[in-house]
Each structure stands twice: as C-alpha cells, then as structure tokens.
Amino acid sequence: MVKELTGNIDVERQAKFLKKYKPDIIFLQEIDMYTQRVYSENQIYTFSKQVELPYRTMGINIKYKNGYYGDGIISRFPIEYSTNYLMPLVDPQNEQRGILCNKISFGTTKLNLFSVHYPTNFEERKLGTEELINIIDKIDENEIIIVGGDFNIGIEKVGKHKYKYEKSEKYVEYEMLKEHLDKLENEEDTWFSKNGQGCIDTMFYSKNIKLLNMKTIATKYSDHYAVYAEFEV
C-alpha cells in the first residue's frame, strides 16, 4: 500500500500526509491485515487512527501469509452497512479482486460508497464492471453513489510482477460505467513504476450529486498518487 524507497511499508506516514487535506472519507486499496510482510499489523486500524477518522471497514479478498489482503473504507461518519463482493475470475490462478460496499446515512440522505481494485486482466475487468453495474442498478435512484479506486485500466499482466500499459482515448470498462454514473475527469498520471505509468485511479459518482472540486495529489510515499474530490451532499 505505502512504500518508501527501501520497500518498507509505512502506513503512518501516508495517513499523516493525507490528514492535512481533512478528508471525510478515504478509499484504500492493497490493505494488509496481520500478514507477515507487515509484521502482523492491522493496517486499516493504523491508518484510521493516524488520519483520525474513527470508522473503518475492510473487504477481504484473499488470505495471504497468515493474514488477509483487500480494500478498505475509512470514514468520519458511522458506517451502517458493509459488504464485500468478489469479482469474477477467468483463471482461478489469478489474484482475487473485490468490490467493497459501505452505506452511510445523513438523515434522509444515503451514501453508497464503493472501494474497488480492478484486475490486471481485461476480461476480468469487464466482468468486474458488469458485477459493479448489477449492484448499483439495485440502489434506489434517490440515494448517492460514489465509486473510487484503482481501476488498472489499460494494464495487462505479462509475467510475475511485470505489466504493460497501453494508453487509449477510450476504455471499454469506463464506457460501460459512464452509462450509469458520471466520471471524474482527472487526466494526470496516478501510477508510476518501471513497467510504465498512467492515469488508472479515478472516481465515478451518481448524477444526483454535485462535484465541487478535484485534484491529483502527488506523494512520494506510494507508487500511486491520491485522487481527491469534493462533493456537495
């Protein structure tokens, strides 16, 4: 999730960096809980504590080295409902990815929040998008939807820890989602590695919510930049 040049994970530094932006909700991907590589730390708890947002949930996608790995949502407001949907696989050897869903209420206003980490396989991304659309289509039209995360659009895995990225004017997965939700029009690169770089992190939101502000936040503590959006609810 957060790596310095040494390869060591430093969740506290990343959380303190984001805290100055005073977020109300944070979508996280590639979270470890109790795994050997993070020395049995509960990353979602540590991040929540350091950024001073008290409510948190984690969607577990796989078991990994005595612990768990998946996505998270951290909130300033109580989370009344949480569930995690597993994305379909075309090959059982591929890494399982998920769709973490949380619901938050402000009186009669209801927010449906989705933290996603898409596969590095085109067919699985399409199937995952279809699954996400099936879920959001069942939500009442008066409720608000925000989807955020790492969509891995344009990326294909070509070997162990090796990927290729191809930029395109249009992506099938995005076009599918844009039939149901508005897309944050961020264009700056958000992912950086020796395999390439590109804008693969973004947000989608329902048409009954107004976007006030957006920006890409550069950080030296991760191979991904953060995507920030402010909405009127």
Side-chain angles (χ1 to χ4, degrees), residues 205-218:
Y205 53 97
S206 51
K207 300 179 185 300
N208 57 356
I209 187 173
K210 182 180 179 182
L211 176 68
L212 299 177
N213 187 25
M214 55 166 273
K215 67 171 69 173
T216 298
I217 301 173

Side-chain angles (χ1 to χ4, degrees), residues 8-148:
N8 294 325
I9 296 172
D10 189 344
V11 174
E12 293 187 15
R13 184 175 293 182
Q14 183 74 331
K16 290 175 180 177
F17 173 79
L18 292 178
K19 180 182 174 182
K20 64 183 180 181
Y21 292 93
K22 299 180 180 179
D24 292 314
I25 296 164
I26 299 177
F27 298 127
L28 298 171
Q29 294 77 48
E30 299 185 59
I31 292 289
D32 277 58
M33 180 186 286
Y34 308 134
T35 63
Q36 292 176 1
R37 64 183 175 186
V38 298
Y39 307 102
S40 300
E41 180 183 17
N42 182 336
Q43 286 193 327
I44 191 75
Y45 172 78
T46 301
F47 204 104
S48 172
K49 182 179 179 181
Q50 292 298 325
V51 82
E52 295 185 358
L53 298 181
Y55 304 100
R56 59 194 174 271
T57 63
M58 178 174 173
I60 295 171
N61 297 330
I62 61 173
K63 293 182 178 180
Y64 183 79
K65 293 187 176 180
N66 297 333
Y68 306 96
Y69 175 79
D71 309 314
I73 293 176
I74 299 177
S75 170
R76 187 178 306 281
F77 314 105
I79 297 167
E80 65 180 51
Y81 172 80
S82 178
T83 190
N84 192 54
Y85 302 90
L86 298 180
M87 292 187 182
L89 296 173
V90 298
D91 184 339
Q93 300 301 314
N94 291 347
E95 182 180 303
Q96 180 67 63
R97 301 295 173 94
I99 302 168
L100 174 60
C101 171
N102 282 191
K103 179 168 283 190
I104 293 173
S105 296
F106 305 94
T108 58
T109 301
K110 298 186 181 297
L111 273 66
N112 297 272
L113 309 171
F114 295 88
S115 179
V116 300
H117 185 201
Y118 267 37
T120 54
N121 174 283
F122 175 63
E123 291 302 323
E124 289 181 352
R125 284 198 299 273
K126 285 202 301 180
L127 290 171
T129 301
E130 290 173 359
E131 179 71 10
L132 177 57
I133 291 171
N134 286 336
I135 296 166
I136 65 176
D137 276 351
K138 294 179 174 65
I139 296 173
D140 187 285
E141 63 180 10
N142 294 314
E143 297 185 12
I144 293 168
I145 298 169
I146 304 175
V147 182

Side-chain angles (χ1 to χ4, degrees), residues 163-223:
Y163 305 88
K164 66 176 181 179
Y165 171 73
E166 292 186 7
K167 187 174 182 179
S168 175
E169 292 299 317
K170 287 187 177 182
Y171 297 100
V172 172
E173 307 93 309
Y174 281 170
E175 295 305 309
M176 292 168 65
L177 281 172
K178 285 164 71 172
E179 292 182 10
H180 304 263
L181 302 168
D182 287 338
K183 180 183 177 297
L184 202 70
E185 294 302 326
N186 58 310
E187 298 180 351
E188 295 181 60
D189 289 342
T190 60
W191 170 69
F192 305 86
S193 83
K194 61 183 179 181
N195 295 296
Q197 63 188 59
C199 182
I200 64 173
D201 303 87
T202 192
M203 296 186 196
F204 286 83
Y205 53 97
S206 51
K207 300 179 185 300
N208 57 356
I209 187 173
K210 182 180 179 182
L211 176 68
L212 299 177
N213 187 25
M214 55 166 273
K215 67 171 69 173
T216 298
I217 301 173
T219 169
K220 63 182 179 181
Y221 306 130
S222 174
D223 58 350

